[in-house]
Amino acid sequence: MATRPAGEAYHPQFVRQQGEGLAMALGLFSLALGAAQVAAPGVMSRLVGASPTPRRRTTMRSVGLRELANGFAILTQPRQASWLWSRLAGDAVDLALLARVTTDRRNSKGRAIAASAAVLGVAALDYMAANQLTVGESARRDIPVSDRLASTERRVARSVTIHKDRADVEAAWAARSPRPPYLDDGATVHFNEAPGDRGTEVQVRYRYRPKAGMLGASALMVARDDPSQRIRDDLRRFKQELEIGEVLVSDASLTRGAHPARPHARAM
Amino acid sequence: MKATCWMGTKHVEVTEVPDPQILNDRDCIVKISSTAICGSDLHLYNGFVPLMEKGDVLGHEFMGEVVDVGRAVRSVQVGNRVVVPFPIACGHCAACLTEQYSLCENSNPNAHIAAKMMGHSPAGIFGYSHLTGGFAGGQAEYARVPFADVGPLKVPDALTDEQVLFLSDILPTGYMGAEMCGIKPGDTVAVWGCGPVGLFAIASAYLLGAERVIAIDRIRYRLDMARIRTGAITLNYDEVDSVPDALTELTGGRGPDHCIDAVGMEGHGHGAMYAYDRFKQMSKMQFDRPIALREAIMSCANGGTVSVIGVYAGFIDGFPMGSVMNRSLRIVAGQCHVHRYMQPLLEHIEAGRIDPTMVITHRLPLEKAALGYDLFLNRRDHCEKVVLHA
């Protein structure tokens, strides 16, 4: 049975991941901008060079609501690419509004022009992100249906190389008790001889769908509850058990959370 | 037990902490007889190394007597007198089996953090932040030493503590710095930094066949030490306009064949580049100040080697990559693979070919560690190396 060598790049995913990073930034930016436009429309109007008439304030608030909706959608909804194209459309509307501002002699032309330049810059980023995500999605069309991922599903692979023969490694894996929990969640493990007498490569592949889309996934990473981190930690432990017979602890790693690097009291 | 604890930037205290215990079957406990303060400890002291916590026990250069061993320890016994190398190495991973002990794959419990910052994790180290595992260090009365069969070196009673203590770090580090150059008979080597590691690098360069070694620093007493103890030619960078120019003139227009950076991340210099580095460091945009490294690259002869043993933590700016690529320079770097060098260097010491005690200027009791840090950092009282006795 041919198994993929550990570490083969998930190439169609790579472009998508770049787009995802940019999308997250743009989503957060939309939230921040939208909040400012809704909460302080007068200030924001002056910032783009327009005097804050009541009608302008209303327009600014509507723009802000649109930004908030867009930002929220980008960060929590599947099919991000569509929301980024929508954001780009919003940029076009903003540019049109700003053009109106520059033609009115009562307004500050310089600021309006500066604001337009800023919008163009962000629009360029929107375009890039939307493109990258769309490319990622179209690449997926070549992948068989059974392998195609739903939008916010993340695919994770983590590998480790163990300086032991493959037969020993596979036997030790099968004998692991308790079984790693992620194996019951649909993760698969793959073994390969490492090139040049380096031993055996072990790769765990796992798919999961984080709740609350991209925001949820990032929160998990920060909290170190990210499945990819748990798998990696587990593989490192497995490697130590095979190579040295136990898992090394340090004074600081004995306890969860912050602890200075000094011996613990006898109570341990 | 008493231990030297990091309490914040430029603040260490010797306080009471619990005695260490056996935590893994291959551990041993060492009762420390002598320990030292390292130049790289100063980076911790000055707050430049991330992931330190108040209360961390410092120190990675130590030796003493084995007083307890774990169940699986075979080659050291209670009562042995040992010197402990600063990187922690398991002896069974691919890195250890190829003698790259400071790259041990199993000895950093915080490998995931180090990997995020550096790409992959190096070995765990005693007393050197949570980035390298959060192990308590050896500026204390006792230390827990993992992998007792792999690290600790048994040393003969005929040699004093001061003669062998530096096998734990600075002597092998200086030696590896020189060895990485690939010195051929007749070569000229330039060494930046006349601290203890620099002096050992100079001595090692001569041992390995260099014809001339040029020692670079700005502190008069350290340059004197280099000249008197090792026979190096000295260059005071405060007295010249440009170190690369001065080195070029000392070498018939060619530049030194090999350049060793024994300075690292807290480089000091003059002029706009130094101001730029300091600003970036203070505004947290840059961890390290690579002054010596830049000079070493610019000075090096075409086709030469730049050997980096000064410690760096993160990212640097303004790196002369054009000079490196266009002139076929080789850059070699690393935390010393101490275990590899301990026995051969012990033999050099026993035969009198090298005298490690030449760098010691201050001997203090452990309780006075804070004073030791101050003397060492500020180069007071002609301080070169501080040894703390139990």
Side-chain angles (χ1 to χ4, degrees):
Chain A
M1 173 184 42
T3 51
R4 284 206 205 126
E8 180 195 271
Y10 284 87
H11 195 68
Q13 295 296 311
F14 180 64
V15 170
R16 183 190 175 76
Q17 272 168 26
Q18 285 187 307
E20 278 178 358
L22 191 50
M24 167 136 138
L26 288 163
L28 290 170
F29 171 72
S30 277
L31 283 182
L33 183 61
Q37 287 166 332
V38 167
V43 171
M44 293 304 288
S45 294
R46 269 187 229 109
L47 210 63
V48 303
S51 52
T53 62
R55 220 179 79 180
R56 285 243 172 72
R57 275 189 225 248
T58 312
T59 311
M60 188 57 82
R61 279 208 193 91
S62 321
V63 165
L65 284 172
R66 183 205 75 210
E67 280 292 349
L68 283 172
N70 247 334
F72 207 72
I74 289 171
L75 293 175
T76 60
Q77 296 306 306
R79 286 206 305 283
Q80 269 182 333
S82 335
W83 291 105
L84 280 155
W85 289 120
S86 139
R87 212 190 166 282
L88 191 60
D91 291 334
V93 168
D94 289 341
L95 281 170
L97 288 170
L98 284 167
R100 285 249 313 269
V101 168
T102 55
T103 53
D104 190 336
R105 256 171 299 139
R106 280 174 300 166
N107 298 324
S108 162
K109 215 171 190 172
R111 283 198 190 170
I113 290 176
S116 305
V119 171
L120 275 172
V122 175
L125 291 177
D126 287 332
Y127 180 71
M128 252 174 69
N131 243 336
Q132 281 170 338
L133 289 174
T134 308
V135 163
E137 288 186 35
S138 63
R140 276 180 13 212
R141 283 190 213 110
D142 300 330
I143 296 172
V145 174
S146 57
D147 279 354
R148 203 183 298 173
L149 302 179
S151 306
T152 49
E153 198 175 77
R154 303 200 119 192
R155 187 195 282 181
V156 152
R158 285 291 175 258
S159 305
V160 79
T161 299
I162 303 179
H163 201 267
K164 292 276 182 231
D165 290 334
R166 181 170 168 172
D168 293 337
V169 173
E170 295 205 49
W173 184 271
R176 290 188 86 185
S177 168
R179 237 168 91 86
Y182 50 82
L183 288 179
D184 297 324
D185 286 342
T188 53
V189 67
H190 309 259
F191 303 90
N192 241 326
E193 276 90 19
D197 288 333
R198 285 181 179 82
T200 305
E201 296 170 1
V202 181
Q203 185 183 60
V204 172
R205 297 184 200 158
Y206 184 62
R207 292 173 189 178
Y208 77 107
R209 185 177 287 121
K211 300 185 194 38
M214 183 177 251
L215 264 185
S218 310
L220 281 180
M221 260 175 61
V222 168
R224 275 206 63 213
D225 237 353
D226 180 18
S228 95
Q229 193 56 57
R230 279 189 273 120
I231 292 170
R232 185 163 256 167
D233 289 346
D234 181 67
L235 284 175
R236 284 206 179 100
R237 280 193 294 273
F238 179 59
K239 173 184 160 93
Q240 286 189 34
E241 279 158 17
L242 274 179
E243 287 184 357
I244 57 180
E246 56 181 348
V247 176
L248 179 70
V249 296
S250 69
D251 307 279
S253 75
L254 272 181
T255 53
R256 273 190 86 82
H259 185 275
R262 61 162 62 176
H264 294 241
R266 211 65 343 232
M268 299 266 334
Chain B
M1 68 163 183
K2 286 193 281 291
T4 309
C5 298
W6 186 88
M7 302 304 258
T9 299
K10 292 199 165 64
H11 184 194
V12 298
E13 267 175 30
V14 179
T15 55
E16 269 299 313
V17 308
D19 285 0
Q21 301 158 50
I22 304 281
L23 298 173
N24 283 102
D25 288 341
R26 293 163 183 245
D27 291 351
C28 74
I29 306 286
V30 172
K31 178 169 196 257
I32 295 168
S33 54
S34 299
T35 179
I37 303 174
C38 183
S40 54
D41 287 333
L42 295 180
H43 306 320
L44 300 174
Y45 187 70
N46 289 330
F48 286 124
V49 178
L51 299 186
M52 289 294 289
E53 268 179 59
K54 188 170 168 178
D56 285 350
V57 176
L58 299 176
H60 56 268
E61 300 183 49
F62 60 97
M63 66 177 290
E65 183 191 328
V66 177
V67 293
D68 196 3
V69 292
R71 271 191 304 217
V73 175
R74 298 283 169 265
S75 51
V76 292
Q77 286 87 34
V78 170
N80 286 159
R81 181 170 171 245
V82 296
V83 177
V84 180
F86 78 86
I88 300 169
C90 75
H92 291 89
C93 65
C96 290
L97 291 168
T98 51
E99 292 195 306
Q100 298 182 285
Y101 298 98
S102 75
L103 302 178
C104 175
E105 297 163 6
N106 291 321
S107 64
N108 184 0
N110 290 336
H112 56 282
I113 304 176
K116 278 205 167 52
M117 286 190 60
M118 297 192 233
H120 298 272
S121 174
I125 295 179
F126 291 104
Y128 212 79
S129 97
H130 294 249
L131 205 57
T132 63
F135 291 94
Q139 283 163 12
E141 294 181 272
Y142 295 87
R144 168 234 174 188
V145 177
F147 307 123
D149 288 328
V150 181
L153 176 81
K154 286 182 259 202
V155 287
D157 289 334
L159 296 171
T160 65
D161 270 17
E162 291 183 359
Q163 284 178 289
V164 294
L165 174 63
F166 304 138
L167 288 170
S168 57
D169 178 0
I170 53 176
L171 177 54
T173 297
Y175 186 86
M176 186 169 111
E179 189 195 60
M180 289 197 293
C181 294
I183 298 170
K184 296 184 300 303
D187 280 352
T188 301
V189 180
V191 177
W192 275 255
C194 293
V197 168
L199 296 186
F200 287 139
I202 297 167
S204 302
Y206 280 121
L207 212 56
L208 288 166
E211 184 161 311
R212 269 189 320 157
V213 182
I214 304 165
I216 303 161
D217 205 301
R218 69 177 163 131
I219 298 176
R220 178 66 53 77
Y221 77 81
R222 291 195 165 191
L223 290 164
D224 288 343
M225 266 188 108
R227 189 177 54 250
I228 295 165
R229 303 290 194 190
T230 67
I233 302 160
T234 57
L235 174 60
N236 186 334
Y237 68 82
D238 264 354
E239 291 171 5
V240 298
D241 285 333
S242 153
V243 168
D245 280 352
L247 288 173
T248 302
E249 283 318 301
L250 283 169
T251 51
R254 301 180 309 277
D257 302 298
H258 312 285
C259 294
I260 302 178
D261 171 4
V263 169
M265 64 193 281
E266 290 195 63
H268 168 274
H270 299 297
M273 212 66 215
Y274 176 57
Y276 171 75
D277 282 327
R278 283 228 64 154
F279 168 72
K280 289 199 81 173
Q281 204 176 31
M282 280 181 337
S283 53
K284 307 285 188 209
M285 280 154 58
Q286 174 174 264
F287 280 108
D288 306 351
R289 305 197 299 261
I291 314 261
L293 182 60
R294 283 190 202 110
E295 273 181 8
I297 289 168
M298 299 298 284
S299 310
C300 195
N302 285 350
T305 303
V306 175
S307 168
V308 183
I309 47 177
V311 171
Y312 291 86
F315 296 81
I316 60 175
D317 203 356
F319 185 80
M321 194 56 198
S323 178
V324 170
M325 186 274 162
N326 285 288
R327 302 193 303 110
S328 296
L329 294 187
R330 209 165 64 102
I331 301 182
V332 200
Q335 284 282 15
C336 185
H337 305 296
V338 176
H339 307 51
R340 205 200 273 173
Y341 300 100
M342 290 174 100
Q343 187 60 42
L345 286 172
L346 177 63
E347 284 160 29
H348 280 311
I349 296 170
E350 284 174 310
R353 284 187 286 268
I354 203 159
D355 174 22
T357 65
M358 70 170 178
V359 300
I360 304 176
T361 53
H362 290 76
R363 297 159 178 84
L364 295 171
L366 177 64
E367 296 79 42
K368 293 235 165 84
L371 172 64
Y373 272 86
D374 180 59
L375 289 171
F376 192 29
L377 172 66
N378 297 305
R379 284 92 160 116
R380 285 197 224 287
D381 196 32
H382 288 203
C383 181
E384 179 75 356
K385 185 73 173 176
V386 178
V387 172
L388 302 168
H389 291 291

